[in-house]
Amino acid sequence: MNKKFGMMKKIYESILIMGIMALLNSCSPGKKITAEQIDSNYPIILVKAKNVENKISTVRIPLVFEISKHTLKEIKLLIPTGYVYKNQYYQRSNWTSTGRSYHVEKGILKENLPTPPEIKLQKKEFVFYTSHRPHYTKGDELYTFFQPYLNRMEKERKDTLQISTINELKNGHRDIIENFLEGDTILIKIFQNRDIDAYTYPVEVK
């Protein structure tokens, strides 16, 4: 009985070792991470322009990604994340950076500074806030959309205001949120063993 148990134990150990070796080598030459954009239920933030009356200067939109790695080696997420704005409201073809980024722990957003967060084998949520600077004029659709929020900011004496989530805007103002995001691209950079890798993903309205 002991001999049979010892043999089975060796078989299991061999399978485990083979599995670990396969996992260690699984990221080469392919991707070292998997990043999937998921639904965002965090508030969009409006920022009022300074020294300009009745104007929104920046719209910060939270994009949520589930990110995991394919190796047991340590991989860290590099901050800031790259971003290209190609949407209808803010067309810029050069790479810039997103605003602040966060990881999620027990439902709470924690900023990814000063230490870059480690990417785990298990999927983990990361939230990247964009920094859209829309161009609009009096009387157009964005002016009409922003006006109630500007009135509220003036009444409450606020320079920033949290409003609807992406999912909520899709129900009532789908054209607005699509015009903010469609055409944009996000670049996620990682660091492993002195090497830096970058992966680009088209931004989805979700």
Side-chain angles (χ1 to χ4, degrees):
M1 186 71 177
N2 289 337
K3 186 176 181 180
K4 184 178 179 180
F5 177 78
M7 186 178 296
M8 291 298 294
K9 183 179 179 182
K10 287 183 178 180
I11 292 173
Y12 286 133
E13 287 176 348
S14 298
I15 293 173
L16 180 61
I17 291 172
M18 290 173 64
I20 292 173
M21 292 301 294
L23 187 60
L24 285 171
N25 295 314
S26 63
C27 67
S28 180
K31 287 188 174 183
K32 297 175 182 177
I33 64 166
T34 294
E36 179 185 2
Q37 188 178 350
I38 62 173
D39 287 350
S40 174
N41 292 302
Y42 298 96
I44 294 168
I45 300 173
L46 303 182
V47 181
K48 189 176 181 181
K50 295 181 179 179
N51 303 321
V52 178
E53 187 177 354
N54 211 32
K55 190 83 172 179
I56 293 295
S57 64
T58 308
V59 181
R60 297 174 180 163
I61 303 176
L63 306 178
V64 185
F65 281 79
E66 282 187 339
I67 304 178
S68 59
K69 65 180 180 180
H70 302 159
T71 174
L72 293 179
K73 296 178 181 178
E74 184 180 73
I75 291 180
K76 290 189 175 182
L77 179 71
L78 286 184
I79 305 300
T81 303
Y83 202 89
V84 169
Y85 298 89
K86 292 285 285 185
N87 59 81
Q88 291 189 32
Y89 292 145
Y90 185 40
Q91 294 186 0
R92 291 184 61 188
S93 58
N94 57 307
W95 285 102
T96 181
S97 64
T98 58
R100 294 179 177 178
S101 68
Y102 304 82
H103 60 279
V104 182
E105 289 187 9
K106 298 179 180 179
I108 299 174
L109 291 184
K110 295 192 175 182
E111 194 168 0
N112 292 329
L113 290 175
T115 305
E118 185 178 354
I119 296 174
K120 305 287 187 179
L121 289 169
Q122 186 178 7
K123 291 180 180 179
K124 188 172 184 178
E125 280 190 23
F126 291 89
V127 181
F128 305 98
Y129 265 90
T130 70
S131 187
H132 285 78
R133 291 179 171 84
H135 301 299
Y136 67 98
T137 57
K138 188 173 182 178
D140 66 16
E141 62 178 2
L142 269 187
Y143 178 89
T144 303
F145 175 74
F146 286 144
Q147 199 56 45
Y149 298 115
L150 282 165
N151 293 340
R152 179 179 164 188
M153 293 167 82
E154 184 177 356
K155 183 178 179 180
E156 298 178 5
R157 296 183 180 180
K158 292 181 176 179
D159 293 326
T160 62
L161 185 68
Q162 294 185 357
I163 63 168
S164 308
T165 67
I166 293 176
N167 278 329
E168 289 169 346
L169 278 187
K170 283 195 298 185
N171 293 327
H173 299 277
R174 190 174 189 90
D175 289 346
I176 297 289
I177 193 62
E178 286 180 350
N179 288 344
F180 264 117
L181 294 178
E182 286 188 346
D184 289 359
T185 303
I186 191 169
L187 180 143
I188 296 175
K189 296 178 290 183
I190 61 171
F191 176 80
Q192 178 194 345
N193 295 337
R194 300 180 182 178
D195 293 327
I196 295 177
D197 294 289
Y199 305 98
T200 59
Y201 301 90
V203 173
E204 300 180 57
V205 184
K206 61 192 309 183

